């Protein structure tokens, strides 16, 4: 090799050499497909034996299911990396579809195990999950059985899944298509251009208020032009979901989200009550922000307006060093890990054309490694993305030696390590600067996040709760959806938003209401943000002495409920309001300093 490799690109060669043309990867896929096929055949034979089948054979099947899922995850991650580093890599796109078909194929195995788990007696099951091959992930398997018992007969569930491909999930695809095709005309400096919804939404954080206002109006008009379709789509998606819940005997529309979130409803309720109790503090922040922006009424489109323009530029090396140094100041383990990840080129950060948007961290379970994807052009926000994604990678690293099914954690806990890193690095950046404009800008980013979690996200939760209740009685007309949305915003924002500042069509414009895999794609954000803040606060008080406890907490996120994790590692009862009152107060602790700086 004569050509020097850029430190800003990642290493995929050591996973499977040759990119999407890799012969090694082709063999990996071929073996996987063959093993899936034979496992499916064997499980069919096992199922036919019924009660006569020895438990030992079921243990084998469960181990096989785990092994196959791990390989699918590994190969799927690799294909995903290929497709995002070069959006024109068509082979990689085809491979991604190939991996979703493997996943679907492994569902046959899963359904068979579910059928067995439902039917088997407690004593036999107990023996099976305490077998040393499965005991490391006993939490997962017990949950698996409980879920199977809460659902319909496996054959009916299988039919429902098949119908959902062109039913429930098709409504999400339709939404994606509608939103993707929608355009709005936007005029700047006398020039008019047609913008996508994503492009126009970016303008909501423009420093110029007239730009934000125009963006919001054009955006709303565009959604208004298809609101009948959007209402039909949302009502159909929700209707499908409610029929399925009814057939399973699930009365509460939130039941599934709570189940998969491994969380109790009273925890969520306690959290929202604490949020509500702190609206006065948020209002003080907003008053200061309004003074800063020179406005007297806060409209929907002012929420993300920047208050300061201080932007320091960093090189990738500087950003990486800054992040490593401050992770190191809390935990040598975390700092060492980050350095290793960066030096081993686990991170794709180059700023070039042809890459996908956004950032993510994905794990390669068979190698016990991660890869991080992002684009670094020198901004502070990108340094934060680096810290954020390194948090995800550290989380995977801490879990790497657990059995595969004990490594997956619920969405509520998924952002713990990433948010923790962001808080650590933000505070370090705040300490490192004397520049008041810079300080204001950093504090604003921090508080704004909490503001979004406590008001915007909460309004989505309130809307969804009320919408599903009404949807149970029949289709909800679009005008009523607008009304419900504004009512929810009034409840969550109180006096913070101006009487004319609401966003009635938010139900249509927000993709999250149309995610077909799970409803209530909102409270986990707020939970994760506030929960991570609580852990960070502990770290700040106890310093490096808390590093081992923090690591132990992360390591248990795949084998406990949220309540159990908090109880065991923080000694906290998160079903009560005390924990949340502290958490919200802490998240807003910088408001005083922000108000002072504005003055
Ligand atoms: Zn994240």
């Amino acid at each position: 090799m004569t050509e020097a490799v850029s430190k800003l690109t990642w290493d995929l060669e050591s996973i499977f050499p040759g990119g999407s043309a890799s012969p090694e990867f082709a063999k990996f896929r071929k073996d996987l497909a063959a093993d899936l096929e034979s496992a499916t055949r064997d499980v069919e034979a096992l199922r036919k034996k019924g009660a006569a089948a020895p438990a030992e054979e079921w243990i084998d099947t469960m181990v096989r299911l785990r092994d196959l899922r791990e390989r699918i995850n590994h190969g799927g991650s690799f294909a995903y990396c290929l497709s995002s580093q070069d959006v024109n890599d068509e082979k990689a796109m085809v491979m991604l579809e190939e991996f979703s078909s493997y996943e679907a194929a492994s569902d046959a195995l899963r359904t068979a195990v579910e059928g067995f788990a439902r039917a088997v007696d407690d004593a036999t099951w107990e023996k099976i999950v305490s077998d040393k091959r499965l005991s490391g992930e006993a939490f997962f398997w017990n949950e698996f059985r409980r879920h199977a018992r809460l659902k319909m007969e496996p054959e009916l569930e299988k039919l429902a899944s098949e119908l959902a491909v062109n039913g429930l999930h098709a409504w999400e695809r339709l939404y994606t298509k509608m939103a993707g095709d929608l355009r709005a005309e936007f005029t700047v400096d006398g020039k008019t251009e047609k913008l996508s919804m994503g492009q126009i939404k970016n303008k909501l954080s423009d420093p110029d208020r007239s730009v934000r206002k125009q963006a919001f109006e054009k955006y709303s008009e565009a959604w208004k032009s298809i609101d009948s379709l959007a209402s039909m789509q949302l009502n159909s998606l929700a209707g499908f979901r409610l029929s399925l819940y009814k057939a399973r005997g699930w009365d509460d529309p939130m039941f599934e989200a709570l189940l998969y979130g491994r969380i109790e409803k009273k925890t969520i309720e306690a959290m929202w009550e604490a949020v509500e109790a702190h609206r006065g503090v948020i209002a003080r922040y907003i008053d200061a922000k309004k003074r800063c922006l020179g406005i007297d009424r806060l409209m929907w489109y002012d929420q993300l307006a920047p208050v300061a323009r201080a932007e320091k530029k960093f090189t990738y090396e500087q950003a990486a060093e800054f992040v490593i140094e401050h992770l190191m100041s809390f935990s040598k383990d975390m700092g060492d890990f980050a350095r290793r990840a960066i030096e081993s080129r686990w991170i794709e950060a180059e700023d070039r054309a042809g890459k996908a948007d956004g950032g993510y961290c994905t794990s390669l379970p068979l190698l016990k490694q991660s890869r991080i994807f992002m684009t670094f052009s020198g901004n502070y926000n990108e340094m934060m993305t680096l810290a954020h994604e390194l948090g995800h990678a550290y989380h995977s690293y801490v879990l790497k030696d657990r059995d595969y099914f004990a490594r997956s954690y619920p969405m509520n806990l998924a952002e713990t390590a990433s948010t923790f890193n962001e808080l650590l690095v933000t505070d370090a950046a705040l300490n490192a600067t004397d520049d008041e404009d810079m300080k204001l800008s950093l504090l604003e980013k921090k508080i704004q996040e909490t503001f979004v979690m406590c008001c915007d996200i909460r309004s989505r939760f309130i809307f969804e709760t009320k919408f599903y209740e009404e949807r149970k009685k029949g289709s909800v007309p679009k005008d009523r959806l607008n009304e419900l949305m504004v009512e929810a915003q009034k409840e969550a924002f109180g006096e913070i938003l101006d009487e004319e500042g609401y966003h009635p069509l938010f139900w249509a414009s927000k993709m999250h209401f149309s995610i077909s895999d799970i409803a209530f794609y909102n409270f986990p954000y707020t939970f994760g943000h506030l929960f991570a803040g609580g852990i960070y606060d502990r770290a700040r008080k106890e310093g490096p002495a808390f590093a081992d406890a923090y690591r132990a907490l992360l390591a248990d996120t795949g084998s406990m409920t949220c309540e159990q994790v908090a109880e065991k590692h923080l000694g906290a009862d998160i079903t009560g309001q005390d924990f949340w009152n502290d958490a919200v107060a802490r998240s807003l602790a910088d408001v005083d300093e922000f108000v002072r700086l504005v003055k």
Side-chain angles (χ1 to χ4, degrees), residues 388-389 392 414-415 418-419 422:
H388 180 104
E389 301 303 341
H392 284 304
E415 296 299 334
S418 53
T419 310
E422 274 194 48

Side-chain angles (χ1 to χ4, degrees), residues 390-402:
L390 279 168
H392 284 304
Y394 182 69
H395 197 169
S396 298
Y397 166 74
V398 162
L399 283 160
K400 72 181 170 27
D401 295 320
R402 300 267 175 142

Side-chain angles (χ1 to χ4, degrees), residues 415-432:
E415 296 299 334
T416 306
S418 53
T419 310
F420 183 95
N421 276 12
E422 274 194 48
L423 289 169
L424 196 70
V425 176
T426 305
D427 278 353
L430 272 167
N431 285 332

